[in-house]
Amino acid sequence: MPPEIQTFSGENHPERHYSNPVPRLHPRVHSRSSVPCCGKRGRVAGEPPNRPADPLESPTFFPERLWARIVPFLIGLGLAAPIFADVFQMPAGLRSLELVLVGDPGNPPAATGRGAVAYPFRIGRYEVTAAQYTEFLNAKAKSDADGDLWNNDMDKVQSGAEDPRCDIRRSGAPGAFHHTVAPGYANRPVTHLSFLDACRFCNWLHNGQGDGDTETGAYTLNGYKGTDGRRIRRNAGAKYFIPTEDEWTKAAYYDPNKPGGPGYWRYPTRSDLKPSRDPASTNAANWYAGGFLDPVHFYTEVGAFSSATSAYGTFDQAGNVFEWTEDLHPPFLRTLRGGAFDSDDAGLNEPTRNPVFSSISDVPDVGFRIAASVPGQAPPTVAANPAPPSPAPVTAPAAAMPDFPRRPWLDPLSGKPFFPLAWFSYASDAKDLDELHAQGANLVLFVASPSDTDTDEQTTQNIDRMRAYLDHAQKRDMRVLVQIGSHYDAQMRGDQAEVARQKRWVEAVRNHPALFGYQLYDEPEYAAGFSLGVEPQRRLRKLVDAFAKTRQALRQWDPNTNRMISVVFNLVPLSSWTEFLPVIDSFQVDRYPLDKEQAYFGHRGDWGPLMMAWSMHHGAAALRDHPQLRNPSPCMQGVGPNCLDSGQRPVWRNPLYEETRFMAYSSLTVGSWGVFHWIRKMGFAESPVIEANVARLYREMRQLMPAFEQSYTNPPFTVRHDHEGITRSFLSDSIADITTLPLEDRDNYYLVVSDNTGSFGEVRLRLKGLKLAGPSRREARVLNEDWGGKVEFSAASGEWLITPHPMCFGDINVWVIPKAVPAQ
């Protein structure tokens, strides 16, 4: 037990309080029998922070050149793992942060392709504990705001939750914050910390602890708190770091002494059989088996399964908490390994599928363990997140090809492409339809539609209201995508009486010419949650199954297959959105325009038009895996009435017209179809500026609607340009520096060009496939702007070249090339 127990100020919760100075990491030679090494050590009064406290810490005792000779020798003898361990000194009774050596450099990969590591390294024997992280907080988080290195989700009292928490608590005032850990949690893993928090912990270790810097060292952060994981890569010379997936895999599964020859075990407990949950077993772990092993603390103490280790002597690489690795699914999602207290087999013996968690996610079932270089050897250089390449040279690129399937939404009446210019309207009525029609919209998503069918009387009333609304929409030449968000619930409950009333409601409206389709839900990823655990995944599957039953029923009740069945997503791709794709026809993606006050950065930090474009790209890519899907549509969230800030005060999101226009067109160039705006009629006054901006955009896009409807599915020409390299300088590996969309109607060719990075000054466009008779040189203009350029045919390449011209980030040029020879 720690030397002191105190009561947290103002509460009746006894807390652990560590009075020893901030511990320091130092080499310690010991045998396997002395693994705990928990003797209390502190700095002597008046001792300089970096002064060695014993001979083994002195560089003169074991100079680096001697370490360099000893390490390979010990590795060869197989003795290095028990001998080399750094000890994060903690008071007696608390786990210290120990490192074990992972030797056998040059091992082959596992069948998964992971696990090959060419160099020796060290890795944490245990997951980093709440007590160890508390020491870090008390050194570096005395002034941090909630949500920085500490957040109140760690604290069961402040969060008001009995869910899994590492229960690190904070008291005091800014500048003098003090952190303690509740009884029973000190030796359990720290959770609710992000990958960036873990990087800062490693920087602190790298820089000697104490007041060591958290922003440079193993990782260069310099205050970064964003989601673009590629910005954070391990620096050369890093002493302590987050393991790569290969490093983590090798430490967990590889065994140089496996019977039958070196190889990989199926589980990190030197076993090919699934672990039990018996603490006395040599093959056991903390995982979910119809319930939690510890329903009070959820996490077991690190090393609690004292006989269940990997070949290199690590504990808990199976179960307890998922662990961050350096690897990345660009540009946001981090890889996790090891399974958790709330997972079944997934993660224990295979990579954890992570559709959710980015570098800034902090959740209850994710923690980390550190890795480190070997003293006396050059720190390993890895390329888990490769550095951004140099800009692509200006050379003739390969021929461009569409990178997404083209399946636009179809008119339920004609079966022809229908290009939506639409609003989400919460409480729409006849007046709202009149305003939308005058603005230029051709479709409305009616969110709070009269579709509930809780009683027979309500069903009759809502049918009458819905038909009257559809009648007025038809008069205004408007289509209606009606939200029936309550229908899935009856399917989930198995309420056959309500399902029968739903059928009656659909059959009463299904043949109305203004009905475009059915909206199942707005942001189902919020309802389903994001956790990777067994129970949350079960709830997710239950919701998806209810959606599937609802879709199947709608197809039976309304046989028109061109009636759209869709949902709205918000956090694509940072959510469970892919689970819903098999049960819908298409979707809208909420996106956030640039605000006046935060030019070039959306109101969610990195989130802006490029985040939206990346989401749209991934949405379009999903069409390859789901043949029933039609191209998604962007929803310009924030281009609606005022919203509430965290203090429940009205705030305006009033984007400029040019910014909204960029979001719309850039989405189209990467695979979207149509444009939605969010959200009218929520009880606030409408914004005349926003209304005017949307009307202006719709007027312009109406000029192009014949071209969209005629040629979106069959691009009339191909485009090449001198910036076809993929940008890695901002948000995404998925969005090219320049994206384009070729179109045509009866009289003109059109080329939509979006500048997504602004990393260059001039654009050269080459068009192949234009059927232009007459002169080989003619004028082209930019739609609704007062400039243009020449289009000239090159006999050498068989391409039409547009005059080189400058572009900058956020530019949208819609080139209009007349098919006919202009009259002289």
Side-chain angles (χ1 to χ4, degrees):
M1 297 294 289
E4 297 181 21
I5 299 290
Q6 73 172 16
T7 302
F8 193 68
S9 176
E11 299 177 18
N12 294 320
H13 298 276
E15 309 286 351
R16 299 188 188 271
H17 171 73
Y18 307 122
S19 60
N20 61 305
V22 175
R24 289 180 292 120
L25 205 61
H26 65 281
R28 171 77 72 180
V29 178
H30 60 82
S31 67
R32 188 179 294 274
S33 63
S34 63
V35 162
C37 281
C38 293
K40 179 180 177 182
R41 295 184 69 254
R43 192 167 68 245
V44 178
E47 179 184 17
N50 294 322
R51 174 182 159 188
D54 63 37
L56 290 183
E57 291 185 271
S58 172
T60 61
F61 186 83
F62 277 133
E64 288 195 4
R65 62 180 180 273
L66 185 56
W67 284 121
R69 294 177 183 176
I70 291 176
V71 169
F73 174 72
L74 292 173
I75 291 174
L77 294 178
L79 299 175
I83 290 179
F84 285 99
D86 287 349
V87 180
F88 187 118
Q89 288 293 340
M90 297 295 294
L94 298 176
R95 286 289 188 194
S96 293
L97 199 163
E98 301 179 34
L99 295 166
V100 297
L101 187 87
V102 181
D104 313 294
N107 63 298
T112 61
R114 291 294 187 184
V117 182
Y119 45 82
F121 65 96
R122 295 175 299 161
I123 197 166
R125 188 185 296 276
Y126 310 109
E127 295 155 330
V128 174
T129 67
Q132 293 162 8
Y133 195 78
T134 297
E135 297 284 357
F136 171 53
L137 292 173
N138 283 332
K140 299 301 299 183
K142 295 181 184 298
S143 301
D144 277 16
D146 181 5
D148 289 343
L149 296 175
W150 177 89
N151 67 80
N152 66 19
D153 282 337
M154 293 178 170
D155 182 340
K156 282 197 171 187
V157 175
Q158 288 202 34
S159 64
E162 291 302 316
D163 297 332
R165 299 286 189 274
C166 61
D167 219 358
I168 297 176
R169 304 178 182 183
R170 184 173 77 176
S171 60
F177 285 138
H178 184 71
H179 302 83
T180 56
V181 59
Y185 287 86
N187 279 334
R188 301 176 198 270
V190 63
T191 59
H192 279 105
L193 84 167
S194 70
F195 177 83
L196 297 183
D197 295 334
C199 289
R200 290 182 162 94
F201 183 87
C202 290
N203 279 347
W204 181 63
L205 297 179
H206 176 100
N207 291 311
Q209 302 159 249
D211 196 35
D213 186 25
T214 64
E215 302 308 299
T216 59
Y219 305 92
T220 301
L221 299 167
N222 291 332
Y224 183 69
K225 299 179 181 179
T227 54
D228 182 6
R230 291 171 305 108
R231 296 188 182 191
I232 308 306
R233 301 181 297 275
R234 184 189 304 179
N235 291 330
K239 299 175 185 177
Y240 306 98
F241 39 83
I242 311 302
T244 65
E245 203 168 350
D246 285 328
E247 291 166 344
W248 195 100
T249 298
K250 179 175 180 176
Y253 301 104
Y254 186 69
D255 187 349
N257 300 310
K258 186 179 182 184
Y264 289 83
W265 296 101
R266 182 170 172 79
Y267 293 95
T269 52
R270 288 178 292 173
S271 176
D272 290 327
L273 299 177
K274 187 173 182 177
S276 72
R277 303 198 302 178
D278 177 5
S281 172
T282 58
N283 181 30
N286 177 18
W287 54 280
Y288 189 92
F292 299 113
L293 178 62
D294 183 344
V296 176
H297 301 95
F298 300 96
Y299 324 116
T300 49
E301 292 196 356
V302 299
F305 301 94
S306 57
S307 300
T309 69
S310 73
Y312 292 103
T314 62
F315 292 88
D316 303 310
Q317 285 195 268
N320 218 17
V321 292
F322 295 107
E323 298 177 18
W324 291 116
T325 77
E326 277 189 344
D327 290 72
L328 187 72
H329 300 302
F332 294 108
L333 303 179
R334 290 286 173 186
T335 59
L336 300 169
R337 293 305 304 257
F341 66 91
D342 58 355
S343 65
D344 192 358
D345 210 35
L348 301 186
N349 71 317
E350 59 187 25
T352 303
R353 179 175 173 269
N354 173 22
V356 178
F357 300 130
S358 72
S359 296
I360 62 172
S361 300
D362 45 39
V363 291
D365 51 3
V366 177
F368 76 112
R369 75 178 64 221
I370 67 165
S373 59
V374 177
Q377 292 198 348
T381 300
V382 299
N385 307 318
S390 301
V394 180
T395 58
M401 296 181 63
D403 65 350
F404 56 89
R406 295 170 180 263
R407 295 195 290 268
W409 296 16
L410 301 179
D411 188 323
L413 299 182
S414 68
K416 296 179 179 180
F418 181 92
F419 188 86
L421 297 174
W423 269 99
F424 283 34
S425 194
Y426 183 77
S428 191
D429 54 19
K431 181 176 180 292
D432 185 46
L433 289 170
D434 293 343
E435 293 170 353
L436 293 176
H437 172 70
Q439 201 176 80
N442 60 12
L443 185 143
V444 58
L445 168 55
F446 189 0
V447 177
S449 63
S451 59
D452 286 347
T453 58
D454 295 335
T455 65
D456 289 339
E457 182 181 10
Q458 183 186 37
T459 302
T460 299
Q461 293 173 348
N462 285 348
I463 288 172
D464 293 342
R465 291 174 57 203
M466 191 72 237
R467 289 195 63 88
Y469 181 85
L470 291 169
D471 287 345
H472 195 80
Q474 185 179 9
K475 292 178 183 177
R476 291 292 177 245
D477 195 25
M478 296 277 296
R479 300 298 178 86
V480 179
L481 183 59
V482 56
Q483 183 155 308
I484 52 169
S486 61
H487 283 204
Y488 81 94
D489 189 55
Q491 297 286 353
M492 186 178 288
R493 299 192 314 269
D495 187 337
Q496 295 306 312
E498 184 167 344
V499 170
R501 291 191 293 269
Q502 292 173 354
K503 178 182 179 183
R504 178 184 160 210
W505 186 93
V506 171
E507 290 179 339
V509 302
R510 67 184 181 184
N511 292 322
H512 199 290
L515 179 65
F516 188 79
Y518 309 96
Q519 182 85 9
L520 294 183
Y521 208 95
D522 183 0
E523 301 173 355
E525 68 270 35
Y526 282 115
F530 302 148
S531 176
L532 302 177
V534 171
E535 290 299 335
Q537 287 294 304
R538 188 173 293 156
R539 290 194 296 271
L540 170 61
R541 178 46 48 192
K542 186 176 181 181
L543 181 61
V544 172
D545 288 347
F547 278 23
K549 291 177 182 177
T550 303
R551 182 175 188 265
Q552 182 179 17
L554 289 170
R555 287 290 180 235
Q556 292 173 349
W557 304 336
D558 183 348
N560 188 333
T561 57
N562 290 329
R563 299 264 191 237
M564 187 63 59
I565 298 177
S566 66
V567 299
V568 180
F569 293 122
N570 189 319
L571 296 179
V572 173
L574 306 180
S575 74
S576 55
W577 72 288
T578 54
E579 301 296 326
F580 297 91
L581 296 182
V583 299
I584 55 178
D585 299 332
S586 191
F587 54 92
Q588 299 86 59
V589 186
D590 283 353
R591 291 301 87 193
Y592 301 87
L594 302 171
D595 295 330
K596 284 181 178 179
E597 295 79 12
Q598 296 171 303
Y600 302 121
F601 294 92
H603 74 281
R604 291 192 172 187
D606 282 347
W607 291 40
L610 286 184
M611 175 63 192
M612 178 277 306
W614 189 69
S615 296
M616 298 312 305
H617 175 92
H618 279 262
L623 273 71
R624 297 192 184 98
D625 299 326
H626 303 280
Q628 91 286 356
L629 282 179
R630 300 190 178 278
N631 292 78
S633 292
C635 170
M636 309 306 179
Q637 184 151 331
V639 193
N642 49 338
C643 302
L644 298 180
D645 64 12
S646 59
Q648 298 300 298
R649 297 177 297 270
V651 293
W652 283 102
R653 294 180 190 161
N654 188 13
L656 303 176
Y657 164 74
E658 289 78 9
E659 295 162 338
T660 308
R661 181 176 182 266
F662 172 70
M663 289 187 67
Y665 281 111
S666 65
S667 297
L668 294 170
T669 63
V670 295
S672 74
W673 176 253
V675 177
F676 279 76
H677 286 88
W678 185 97
I679 184 169
R680 295 168 57 86
K681 307 301 180 185
M682 287 191 68
F684 300 121
E686 305 298 324
S687 164
V689 175
I690 291 174
E691 300 288 318
N693 284 345
V694 173
R696 181 181 172 188
L697 179 63
Y698 283 0
R699 285 195 301 272
E700 178 178 311
M701 300 193 84
R702 276 186 172 271
Q703 298 177 64
L704 298 173
M705 281 180 62
F708 283 119
E709 294 168 357
Q710 174 179 324
S711 58
Y712 180 81
T713 58
N714 186 24
F717 56 91
T718 58
V719 184
R720 300 170 65 186
H721 54 80
D722 52 348
H723 298 288
E724 287 186 345
I726 300 298
T727 179
R728 296 173 188 267
S729 61
F730 192 73
L731 282 180
S732 172
D733 285 333
S734 300
I735 299 302
D737 297 342
I738 291 284
T739 50
T740 61
L741 177 64
L743 301 166
E744 72 171 322
D745 61 17
R746 185 188 62 183
D747 299 321
N748 300 298
Y749 290 109
Y750 302 91
L751 176 61
V752 183
V753 184
S754 175
D755 182 342
N756 303 316
T757 67
S759 60
F760 45 81
E762 194 169 71
V763 176
R764 295 174 175 85
L765 297 165
R766 303 174 176 90
L767 318 181
K768 193 165 189 175
L770 297 181
K771 297 179 175 61
L772 297 177
S776 60
R777 181 183 174 93
R778 63 183 65 194
E779 296 288 335
R781 61 185 177 85
V782 176
L783 184 67
N784 292 337
E785 299 189 33
D786 58 359
W787 68 285
K790 303 290 185 183
V791 181
E792 187 169 5
F793 184 72
S794 169
S797 65
E799 297 169 318
W800 289 84
L801 311 180
I802 295 180
T803 304
H805 53 280
M807 290 189 75
C808 65
F809 171 67
D811 274 356
I812 291 291
N813 295 336
V814 181
W815 288 92
V816 183
I817 306 169
K819 293 181 177 179
V821 178
Q824 299 297 323

